[in-house]
Structures are given as C-alpha cells and as structure tokens.
Amino acid sequence: MTAPVTGPARTALVPVAEIFALRHAVLRPGLPAAAAVFPEDAAPGTFHVAAYDEAGTVRACVTFALEPLPGTDESAYRFRGMASDPAVRGHGHGIAVLRAGLAEAAARGAALVWCNGRTSARGFYEHHGFEVRGEEFTVEGVGPHFVFTIKLAASAAGNGADGSVGGPP
C-alpha cells in the first residue's frame, strides 16, 4: 500500500486521456467506457487535473468546465469526475487535485466554483470551505446529491508549491 502523501501531491494539468482510466474505474465501474465520457471534456475552457504518487501513477483526478451556476447567471467553473484511487483514499491525492483545480480556476479569473456532490461527501466539501446551495436531489442511477459552492479570490498565480497546478509530468 502507498504511504500517505506527506506534502502536497504532485499535480498537473493533463489531457483527459491521462485521467480517463481512473475516472471510468472509480465513477462508472462495470459500465461501458462511454459512460465516463463527459460532454464538457473537450469544451473550450475545460481543464483536467491529475495527482500522482511517487511512482508517477495517477491516483486522483478532476475535470473543471466553464458552466454557470444553475438558476443564476453567475459565471463559474463546475467540477465533476472527481475520483480517487480506492487504494490510496485518505492519503491526500483527492484534496490535492481539488486544491490544484480551485487554484487554476482562480488563476483563470473564476470567482465561483460549484459541483453536484454526493450527499455522503457533504462533510468533505464543508470541511474544505464549500457551502450547500439548495435542497437535496437525486441523480438517476447514482443517488442523493447537493449542489456545493465555493467562492474564490481570483489570482494571477496558478503555479506554486502549495499544491497548485504545474505543467505536465
């Protein structure tokens, strides 16, 4: 078993092909690969973040796409497809991709990020500064969810030693 990440995991902006296998295995197990393809994957402004272990294996991933917060005209990034390899859950890779993605969204001028998150992950999101917006709803075939939002301070710096996004590995 891999040791917990002692500092920020190495993260990078990557093509969707780099994270696709993990996304499919964790989020759409037993379904055809096409079930893990998102319409936003190749949309302008979309970016994908991977976190790696010491051996260079992708251990977590997330996709951020430009998408207004539903029911508002607020410009925002939506993230989805966040997945952590079950073998290293709790070791810091998932929070590393989330932090790197939030930093990149801020560097691109975003003031707001949101997601449809599983109700079971509410504690995780709230612990990391997200707020619930609206009522619980059900995603067909997946289960109960909330919309989670976080406000960002836009930044000109997207690269840093704080776990933010760097270049390809």
Side-chain angles (χ1 to χ4, degrees), residues 14-116:
V14 298
V16 70
E18 179 121 358
I19 64 168
F20 191 79
L22 180 63
R23 182 200 286 177
H24 179 238
V26 172
L27 301 178
R28 305 291 190 267
L31 296 176
V37 174
F38 301 152
E40 307 86 357
D41 281 341
T46 295
F47 62 91
H48 311 279
V49 183
Y52 301 88
D53 66 14
E54 302 77 21
T57 303
V58 174
R59 295 301 190 159
C61 63
V62 66
T63 295
F64 281 73
L66 285 168
E67 187 175 330
L69 183 65
T72 75
D73 61 353
E74 290 181 78
S75 177
Y77 269 93
R78 173 188 183 192
F79 71 91
R80 64 183 301 196
M82 187 169 161
S84 261
D85 183 335
V88 296
R89 269 206 198 122
H91 292 188
H93 296 89
I95 193 58
V97 293
L98 181 58
R99 286 180 180 154
L102 293 173
E104 180 66 16
R108 293 177 182 216
L112 183 70
V113 171
W114 68 279
C115 73
N116 291 331

Side-chain angles (χ1 to χ4, degrees), residues 85-165:
D85 183 335
V88 296
R89 269 206 198 122
H91 292 188
H93 296 89
I95 193 58
V97 293
L98 181 58
R99 286 180 180 154
L102 293 173
E104 180 66 16
R108 293 177 182 216
L112 183 70
V113 171
W114 68 279
C115 73
N116 291 331
R118 296 173 193 255
T119 298
S120 60
R122 182 176 184 166
F124 170 84
Y125 287 116
E126 289 178 337
H127 177 75
H128 294 290
F130 286 80
E131 296 179 356
V132 170
R133 188 170 296 191
E135 300 297 318
E136 185 179 65
F137 60 95
T138 299
V139 173
E140 185 76 26
V142 180
H145 282 64
F146 284 106
V147 170
F148 295 97
T149 64
I150 190 168
K151 292 189 188 245
L152 303 177
S155 164
N159 293 340
D162 61 355
S164 57
V165 174

